[in-house]
């Protein structure tokens, strides 16, 4: 059309064609051929490697996880991007917010994986996710300060339903001793005071619950309150008669407590709540949560990408259509659902399909975040390709996985190309 000689055109296209052939066409062709050969590469295996895609447990688990990724990761990332783009359109600091949300895109997958490996650490002192989760949990269900406490030698207490109960009934006017051991002195609550011997009160049951332990060999008297021993502040005491709780009290800072006359003749119980282990949060990288946790890190990275593209599409939406809908009496939710979303449908489709192509190839995050004990549960096709090809020395099966991934990506890519061409024609 321009009169350019074909030889000149060929010379200009040759470098691109060489690179394309060396980096794309040749690897694809070699992978297809290699997928039909056995482990050594000398014997023809036919479709045996492709049969492994549906019989090997590791590949089947990876395929299942890839389906979860394709369904949820693009959907959640696109939805969040849409919400962020719409909500920040009217605020003055919207640009700064978009910059912050988009910033994770500047981080490599490797760095993001390391970040979220720390975020999901089981120890609440290290992992941000469990620190927040434990903080919320303890707000509504505070953990006990005495998880290791238990009766010592010659104790008047015996085990009962996770707690402890007196062996004999108590009587009003007779102070009760409830000695416990097992809590290190440096682990006692800060408000714990030196234990005091409970005084007798007519018609009431009094007593002391304390740490019956004194540092030093041969120091202190067993079953009696000594000068350096501390009380168990906040510990709950229940008076039980015929299996029913008739009264209860909490231990004071000095270990003493007082029950009403209802406790006369009852057994005193220290319920299991007093000895509940501290809540350490969720096992984010355990078998049941590792895939959702990694998808969460992916959404953190790519929601900004979706937001920027959707915001660009939103800028091209005719404002008169939105105003007309409001004039007709539509509220903001109706305008968003009936006008904004339909007008953004082409952009939303492009973003979703692009992310679908991306998640089909996800490897870095899964490889870095999932610990060795849970990597089989978080496995995806790209990671299984790496494991088969390099760890298990099965290049034929790895090539078959690569070809299978290509076949999965091609329809999505064709859909995206057709949609883009359709938009260009408009």
């Amino acid at each position: 059309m321009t009169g350019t000689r074909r030889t000149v055109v060929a010379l200009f296209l040759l470098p691109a064609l060489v690179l394309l052939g060396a980096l794309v066409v040749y690897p694809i062709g070699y992978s297809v051929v290699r997928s039909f050969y056995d482990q050594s590469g000398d014997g023809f295996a036919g479709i045996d490697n492709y049969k492994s895609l549906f019989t090997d447990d590791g590949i089947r688990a990876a395929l299942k996880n890839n389906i979860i990724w394709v369904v949820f990761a693009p959907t959640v990332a696109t939805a969040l991007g849409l919400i962020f783009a719409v909500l920040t359109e009217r605020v003055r600091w919207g640009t700064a917010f978009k910059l912050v949300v988009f910033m994770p895109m500047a981080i490599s997958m490797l760095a993001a994986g390391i970040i979220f490996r720390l975020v999901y650490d089981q120890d609440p002192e290290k992992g941000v996710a469990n620190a927040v989760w434990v903080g919320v949990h303890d707000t509504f269900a505070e953990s006990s300060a005495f998880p290791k406490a238990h009766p010592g030698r010659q104790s008047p207490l015996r085990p009962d339903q996770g707690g402890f109960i007196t062996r004999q009934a108590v009587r009003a006017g007779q102070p009760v001793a409830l000695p416990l051991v097992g809590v290190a002195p440096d682990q006692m609550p800060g408000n714990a005071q030196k234990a005091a011997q409970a005084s007798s009160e007519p018609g009431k049951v009094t007593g002391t619950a304390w740490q019956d332990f004194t540092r030093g060999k041969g120091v202190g008297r067993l079953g009696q309150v000594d000068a350096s021993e501390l009380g168990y502040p906040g510990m709950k005491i229940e008076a039980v008669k015929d299996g029913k709780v008739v009264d209860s009290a909490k231990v004071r800072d000095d270990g003493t407590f007082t029950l009403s006359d209802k406790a006369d003749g009852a057994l005193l119980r220290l319920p299991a709540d007093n000895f509940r282990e501290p809540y350490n949060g969720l096992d984010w990288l355990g078998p049941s949560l590792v895939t959702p946790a990694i998808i969460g890190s992916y959404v953190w990275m790519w929601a900004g990408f979706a937001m920027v593209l959707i915001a660009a599409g939103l800028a091209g939406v005719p404002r008169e259509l939105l105003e007309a809908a409001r004039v007709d009496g539509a509220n903001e939710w109706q305008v968003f659902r009936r006008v904004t979303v339909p007008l953004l449908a082409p952009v939303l489709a492009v973003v979703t399909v692009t992310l679908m192509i991306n998640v089909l190839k996800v490897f870095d995050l899964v490889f870095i975040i999932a610990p060795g004990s849970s990597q089989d549960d978080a496995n995806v096709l790209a990671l299984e390709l790496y494991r088969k090809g390099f760890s298990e020395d099965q290049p034929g099966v790895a090539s078959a996985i690569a070809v299978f991934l290509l076949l999965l990506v091609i329809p999505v890519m064709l859909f995206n190309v057709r949609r883009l061409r359709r938009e260009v024609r408009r």
Side-chain angles (χ1 to χ4, degrees):
M1 291 178 64
T2 60
T4 307
R5 295 179 182 179
R6 291 184 179 182
T7 53
V8 176
V9 173
L11 287 174
F12 275 102
L13 293 179
L14 185 61
L17 292 175
V18 170
L19 289 175
L20 187 64
L23 301 179
V24 178
V25 178
Y26 174 74
I28 292 176
Y30 182 80
S31 296
V32 172
V33 173
R34 188 65 181 83
S35 66
F36 291 104
Y37 284 83
D38 60 13
Q39 182 174 340
S40 64
D42 299 326
F44 186 73
I47 61 172
D48 289 347
N49 292 327
Y50 289 94
K51 288 181 180 178
S52 299
L53 299 180
F54 306 99
T55 57
D56 185 278
D57 291 337
I59 300 176
R60 290 167 63 185
L63 181 59
K64 182 194 71 173
N65 286 333
N66 261 103
I67 294 173
I68 295 173
W69 272 87
V70 170
V71 171
F72 290 101
T75 304
V76 175
T78 304
L80 283 178
L82 175 62
I83 293 171
F84 291 154
V86 172
L87 293 182
T88 56
E89 188 185 26
R90 298 185 180 182
V91 295
R92 285 181 295 179
W93 43 269
T95 302
F97 179 83
K98 290 177 182 177
L99 178 63
V100 172
V101 175
F102 187 76
M103 196 175 294
M105 284 294 298
I107 303 174
S108 68
M109 286 282 197
L110 172 65
I114 294 172
I115 290 170
F116 275 88
R117 183 67 181 268
L118 296 174
V119 168
Y120 291 133
D121 195 287
Q122 179 69 38
D123 187 356
E125 299 293 330
K126 300 177 182 177
V128 175
N130 265 342
V132 174
W133 191 265
V134 170
V136 173
H137 175 275
D138 289 350
T139 300
F140 300 98
E142 187 175 355
S143 299
S144 169
F146 318 107
K148 303 295 184 183
H150 62 273
R153 292 180 292 119
Q154 302 177 17
S155 174
L157 296 167
R158 60 179 175 83
D160 177 73
Q161 300 178 6
F164 305 99
I165 195 168
T166 55
R167 301 178 187 273
Q168 298 179 350
V170 298
R171 295 296 173 186
Q174 299 178 5
V176 182
L178 301 178
L180 295 167
V181 295
V183 181
D186 58 347
Q187 297 296 319
M188 291 292 287
N191 60 329
Q193 298 179 3
K194 291 183 178 180
Q197 187 70 43
S199 57
S200 174
E201 295 186 29
K204 295 184 178 181
V205 174
T206 59
T208 305
W210 82 102
Q211 173 81 344
D212 188 21
F213 174 79
T214 304
R215 288 183 181 275
K217 187 176 181 180
V219 180
R221 295 162 296 171
L222 186 66
Q224 297 185 34
V225 177
D226 296 312
S228 62
E229 295 172 349
L230 300 175
Y232 280 124
M235 182 169 285
K236 187 177 181 180
I237 310 292
E238 294 178 343
V240 181
K241 284 184 180 180
D242 300 325
K244 296 181 179 180
V245 178
V246 295
D247 196 13
S248 64
K250 282 196 173 183
V251 175
R252 304 182 187 94
D253 290 350
D254 61 358
T256 60
F257 60 89
T258 303
L259 295 164
S260 67
D261 57 351
K262 296 179 182 178
D264 186 27
L267 297 175
L268 297 190
R269 181 171 66 190
L270 306 179
D273 289 351
N274 291 317
F275 313 102
R276 183 172 49 235
E277 291 285 344
Y279 181 68
N280 286 322
L282 297 175
D283 187 7
W284 295 101
L285 299 181
S288 58
L289 290 177
V290 63
T291 295
I294 299 174
I295 289 176
S297 66
Y298 177 88
V299 170
W300 175 78
M301 287 193 68
W302 288 88
F305 167 81
M307 178 195 66
V308 170
L309 292 187
I310 295 170
L314 190 61
V317 172
R319 299 300 158 183
E320 58 270 16
L321 295 179
L322 304 180
E323 295 302 325
R326 295 188 182 99
V327 170
D328 288 341
N331 56 37
E332 290 301 321
W333 169 246
Q334 290 172 327
V335 171
F336 173 75
R337 187 165 60 92
R338 299 289 182 85
V339 181
T340 305
V341 172
L343 290 174
L344 288 175
V347 178
L348 296 176
V350 170
V351 172
T352 304
V353 171
T354 302
L355 293 179
M356 287 175 64
I357 296 172
N358 189 267
V359 299
L360 281 171
K361 304 178 296 178
V362 68
F363 166 80
D364 316 62
L365 290 177
V366 181
F367 182 72
I368 296 167
I369 296 177
S373 58
S374 299
Q375 201 167 85
D376 288 340
D377 301 282
N379 200 10
V380 290
L381 288 174
L383 177 59
E384 186 64 15
L385 187 157
Y386 169 81
R387 294 168 70 174
K388 293 293 185 187
F390 297 97
S391 300
E392 301 178 21
D393 192 24
Q394 298 184 40
V397 177
S399 298
I401 296 174
V403 174
F404 183 64
L405 267 176
L406 177 64
L407 294 177
L408 291 178
V409 171
I410 286 176
V412 184
M413 291 178 61
L414 291 177
F415 174 82
N416 217 13
V417 170
R418 290 180 62 185
R419 178 170 286 277
L420 289 173
R421 286 180 177 176
R422 197 180 303 125
E423 291 298 319
V424 169
R425 293 193 194 104
R426 292 178 182 178

